[in-house]
Amino acid sequence: MNKEYKCLQPTYVSKFVCDGAACNSKCCSNWHIQLDEAAYERFAAAAPDIRAEIMANLEFNKESGRHEIAHRGGCCSFVREDKLCKLQLRCGADFLLDVCAEYPRKTHLFPHDFTQRALCMTCPVAARLALTAKEPMTYEEVTFVSGREAYFEKETNEEAIEATAFFKLQKRCIAVLQDHALTLKQRMATLKAYLEAADVFWAEGVLAEKFDELPVVATDGADFADFDVIAMVAFLQQRAQDDDGATKEYTCEVVAALLTDDNAAEEEVAAKLQNLQRAFEENCLRTYGHIFENYLVNEFFIELYPCSKLGSFSHNFRIFAALFALAELFLGAKAANGKEITEEDVLAVINWLSVRTNHFVGYMDLISEFLSASQ
């Protein structure tokens, strides 16, 4: 049943139009979509000719006990040669499965039918729209009508939302990330100090009442990531068993930039890491700082930081900072190895991160586990 929802969203969301031709129908090629019960019933009740075509292109997945759309030639059976969807063209968007109709939108549903939504940066079209704008990301309040509440991520603990002053906290943190009086690394370090102070307020049980008294103090950017990023990469590699081509490429770049000698002294590795970080600053942030700012702001908003995971505000920040640290490591290694950094390189690393934060079940838990063990 359709309902009306109040929504806070980045203004770029209303400009987004799905365009399979622009991304070669990427999401239609990489995902095997399983049907929920409502979608199967909707398909089964379709006109006979449409129902027959659909049923001929479904496969039963014994592990999940659900039907899924078959792939032909590495792509969803319903994608035409022009990269448009046969089902949507014939039956309309309301006929589609929830994920097909909603992706790349990610919607959080709060009490009183209030929502926040943004777009996942795993979609190349959405990423280029949201990240390459030179202006800071802005937000708007809108209303929309949807019957796909089952697809929304529900945040039902109204008491916790009020106790943590979540919306106020989120807004103020994003303001720090968009403070152009500071370098991007200074903003990250400032946000780290700010959320550490917020933890003290929270422990005293007065955050909601005293939040406006919590000062934002500009901080040097040297220590925004207080963990061993090289050890974190090794940890993730060992446990995530991520063996795709992009991961291999990034890992080899890091090894070439930092670990050419297995017996290298700790001081030598530290010096090389500093060189990598300088290369990142000079070859990435100076030219593409707006892309990283927009990515960090969008990620902070869409994943509900600083309350994304269980734990303190500062622990949540360390998870968030780990994403930026990985981007710095991968792109800084490429630059330190003498390679030119392009906009496509930056977007590719952000896509690598976004796939893992949005589509790899348990990946962020691995980062959280590493950070908890390294404190």
Side-chain angles (χ1 to χ4, degrees), residues 83-339:
K83 305 304 179 184
L84 298 179
C85 175
K86 294 179 186 177
L87 291 181
Q88 181 168 353
L89 290 170
R90 293 180 65 181
C91 305
D94 288 344
F95 189 73
L96 298 177
L97 287 78
D98 286 349
V99 66
C100 296
E102 289 293 309
Y103 177 80
R105 299 164 191 85
K106 186 170 185 177
T107 304
H108 293 278
L109 175 62
F110 297 91
H112 312 299
D113 293 333
F114 176 73
T115 64
Q116 287 188 346
R117 68 178 176 183
L119 302 186
C120 298
M121 297 297 96
T122 50
C123 169
V125 177
R128 192 166 291 281
L129 172 67
L131 303 181
T132 60
K134 296 293 181 70
E135 303 79 17
M137 194 172 290
T138 56
Y139 293 81
E140 62 183 354
E141 293 184 359
V142 300
T143 59
F144 69 93
V145 175
S146 175
R148 300 185 184 274
E149 186 173 308
Y151 185 79
F152 299 168
E153 298 194 9
K154 297 175 176 61
E155 316 299 332
T156 58
N157 193 336
E158 184 174 8
E159 188 174 314
I161 293 168
E162 291 180 355
T164 58
F166 171 73
F167 296 112
K168 190 182 291 187
L169 183 59
Q170 181 190 61
K171 183 177 180 179
R172 204 160 188 199
C173 290
I174 288 175
V176 173
L177 289 172
Q178 294 182 316
D179 185 354
H180 290 185
L182 305 173
T183 69
L184 197 54
K185 285 194 173 183
Q186 286 174 336
R187 294 176 224 173
M188 291 291 283
T190 299
L191 188 54
K192 173 189 171 185
Y194 179 67
L195 290 172
E196 286 172 348
D199 278 330
V200 175
F201 271 61
W202 172 250
E204 295 173 352
V206 294
L207 180 58
E209 294 82 359
K210 299 282 188 175
F211 187 77
D212 290 331
E213 299 177 15
L214 190 59
V216 177
V217 181
T219 307
D220 180 73
D223 66 343
F224 82 90
D226 56 348
F227 45 84
D228 186 337
V229 291
I230 301 174
M232 181 174 65
V233 170
F235 175 87
L236 293 174
Q237 284 290 91
Q238 181 181 5
R239 286 161 177 76
Q241 298 179 337
D242 181 4
D243 199 32
D244 70 301
T247 303
K248 285 183 177 179
E249 177 187 342
Y250 294 144
T251 304
C252 287
E253 292 278 8
V254 171
V255 170
L258 300 178
L259 304 172
T260 50
D261 182 355
D262 291 340
N263 298 315
E266 186 175 327
E267 296 81 4
E268 181 182 348
V269 175
K272 288 182 177 180
L273 180 60
Q274 286 186 335
N275 180 59
L276 180 155
Q277 291 169 334
R278 281 194 298 270
F280 177 73
E281 294 260 3
E282 294 170 4
N283 296 279
C284 295
L285 287 187
R286 286 185 183 178
T287 305
Y288 305 113
H290 62 290
I291 295 180
F292 282 103
E293 175 189 311
N294 289 332
Y295 164 67
L296 291 171
V297 168
N298 196 73
E299 186 70 16
F300 201 93
F301 181 80
I302 199 172
E303 294 301 331
L304 302 186
Y305 287 102
C307 303
S308 183
K309 292 288 182 185
L310 293 175
S312 65
F313 297 136
S314 53
H315 178 71
N316 275 263
F317 173 79
R318 294 180 86 220
I319 297 172
F320 177 70
L323 304 178
F324 187 34
L326 284 170
E328 177 184 54
L329 193 65
F330 294 156
L331 288 167
K334 188 180 287 288
N337 289 330
K339 297 181 180 179

